[in-house]
Amino acid sequence: MKSKLIKAGADLRRKQANPLPVMEQFYTLQGEGIWTGTPAYFIRLAGCDVGCHWCDVKESWHPGDDQYLQIEEIVVRALASGTDRVVITGGEPTIYDLSLLTKQLHEAGLKIHMETAGVHPLIGDIDWVCFSPKKFLKPQPEFYQKASELKVIIFNDHDFPWAEEHAEKCADHVQLFLQPEWSRRNKFTAKIVEYAKANPHWRVSLQTHKYIDIP
Ligand code: SF4
């Protein structure tokens, strides 16, 4: 299963930068991390080779043939939302060469954020990188420097020391967040709050969009 996912990811990486597979795109609020509450247009690329067992968008792992969109179309739709900010997410966006997409988004005057597990070298120009490493596929070392924020998902108690290992490798400017995995929020939110109080280099991130039932 895992090796099949990694092979599928390698096949996707060999593809051109245009068109790109988009699972969905929508205008909403950023629900997590330091930009919580900020309106942004989300571009969810399809394709992921990380394979988190608790993933809440497993339908994004394998792009469908009918999901490919020309970059010009993606940019037009983002601009039509009226926002000045997009979030490229996935799936795992570093599978793709994003240079053309980010060039055209910037030329349209949009700021670009990215949510990534950082498992492949970043190809593209991103203004804000939310780096969320996963245990299931090792991140590229470059993300400890390129990250603007580090967001570690807490699924069990072992994830606290694992989060510290990643925080130690990050550049000083990186904002550090712990976030409960949604299905475990009842067990871990209070623990994360106590952990952040005892270790104030961390802040708490919640999936606020899920609490208020927006995309
Ligand atoms: S990296 Fe993201 S999209 Fe990929 S499996 Fe993990 S949670 Fe799901």
Side-chain angles (χ1 to χ4, degrees):
M1 163 69 182
K2 184 69 186 172
S3 59
K4 271 192 189 164
L5 203 58
I6 287 174
K7 180 179 178 312
D11 290 345
L12 290 170
R13 279 204 308 288
R14 280 191 281 273
K15 293 205 168 182
Q16 303 277 329
N18 193 15
L20 288 169
V22 180
M23 183 195 137
E24 58 181 351
Q25 45 192 330
F26 48 90
Y27 188 32
T28 187
L29 304 182
Q30 169 60 279
E32 308 174 4
I34 201 163
W35 290 89
T36 294
T38 306
Y41 188 81
F42 277 66
I43 301 166
R44 186 185 301 288
L45 298 178
C48 183
D49 51 359
V50 181
C52 308
H53 63 82
W54 43 258
C55 177
D56 59 357
V57 279
K58 287 189 171 133
E59 62 277 24
S60 73
W61 290 6
H62 301 287
D65 290 342
D66 59 348
Q67 290 181 319
Y68 283 82
L69 284 181
Q70 292 294 324
I71 282 172
E72 294 73 13
E73 176 68 22
I74 301 172
V75 175
V76 163
R77 292 192 197 184
L79 270 179
S81 72
T83 186
D84 64 350
R85 201 169 293 279
V86 300
V87 179
I88 302 174
T89 185
E92 174 42 55
T94 59
I95 282 185
Y96 301 106
D97 175 351
L98 299 174
S99 49
L100 271 177
L101 175 62
T102 57
K103 181 171 181 287
Q104 292 197 24
L105 288 168
H106 274 144
E107 284 172 357
L110 296 165
K111 302 258 187 344
I112 307 173
H113 297 211
M114 171 191 265
E115 304 269 336
T116 178
V119 291
H120 304 293
L122 177 58
I123 308 174
D125 183 12
I126 306 290
D127 301 306
W128 187 272
V129 176
C130 177
F131 171 41
S132 185
K134 305 294 186 320
K135 284 179 173 169
F136 313 98
L137 199 58
K138 213 172 161 187
Q140 298 286 318
E142 66 182 57
F143 280 90
Y144 296 104
Q145 298 302 316
K146 288 190 171 156
S148 314
E149 64 185 303
L150 173 75
K151 182 172 69 190
V152 179
I153 308 303
I154 301 295
F155 184 82
N156 60 39
D157 287 316
H158 303 299
D159 291 332
F160 289 101
W162 191 78
E164 296 292 358
E165 284 173 32
H166 290 286
E168 278 171 22
K169 294 182 197 169
C170 284
D172 289 345
H173 68 270
V174 180
Q175 307 277 326
L176 306 177
F177 288 90
L178 297 173
Q179 177 175 295
E181 193 278 323
W182 181 249
S183 69
R184 313 269 277 184
R185 64 192 182 283
N186 291 341
K187 178 166 184 193
F188 278 102
T189 301
K191 277 191 181 189
I192 291 170
V193 169
E194 289 310 310
Y195 190 87
K197 284 161 66 182
N199 302 274
H201 51 292
W202 290 101
R203 294 167 67 176
V204 179
S205 171
L206 301 174
Q207 291 184 292
T208 55
H209 55 297
K210 294 189 178 179
Y211 285 99
I212 59 175
D213 198 21
I214 60 171

